[in-house]
Amino acid sequence: MNYTKEQFNCPVEATITLIGGKYKPLILWHLISAPLHYMELQRLIPQATPKMLSQQLRSLEEIGMIRREVIPHKPPRTIYSLTSFGESVIPVLEAMCAWGADYLDRAGKGRCLLHR
């Protein structure tokens, strides 16, 4: 989906629209390190149903944050990677991670397994 500047009332709304969602930030976070196969993402985000993961991946692909490549093996394999636009969100995700880590430390909950 193509969004226009006029659709948003503020930059935070634009950010939430683009990278918000139950699993989009996690997908983007995992793709920072390396391109991943669909099944690898499924293993890394086990709480996402296959349908939900596919929807979130499709949405990120439509806005140009990730690239989807189908490898013609038997069975076909799909690899996802960040585009340059997707890479531009890395500082936002790192800030979210730092904020979340601070919150978990203050709450006495320990560090998240996703902390890089």
Side-chain angles (χ1 to χ4, degrees), residues 19-99:
I19 68 165
K22 198 159 185 177
Y23 303 112
K24 286 181 192 175
L26 291 174
I27 292 166
L28 294 166
W29 182 254
H30 288 301
L31 292 176
I32 291 172
S33 300
L36 295 171
H37 295 280
Y38 176 86
M39 290 308 296
E40 290 172 309
L41 286 165
Q42 187 71 63
R43 278 191 292 275
L44 290 167
I45 311 170
Q47 65 274 32
T49 65
K51 179 182 176 183
M52 181 58 73
L53 182 60
S54 293
Q55 288 173 344
Q56 300 276 282
L57 287 164
R58 194 173 310 114
S59 177
L60 289 168
E61 183 183 9
E62 285 175 3
I63 60 173
M65 296 196 85
I66 65 171
R67 172 182 315 103
R68 177 180 179 267
E69 181 184 354
V70 178
I71 308 298
H73 284 101
K74 292 206 184 226
R77 295 180 66 174
T78 306
I79 297 177
Y80 294 92
S81 59
L82 293 178
T83 62
S84 58
F85 178 48
E87 289 173 350
S88 72
V89 80
I90 292 173
V92 175
L93 296 170
E94 288 174 338
M96 288 172 64
C97 181
W99 186 88

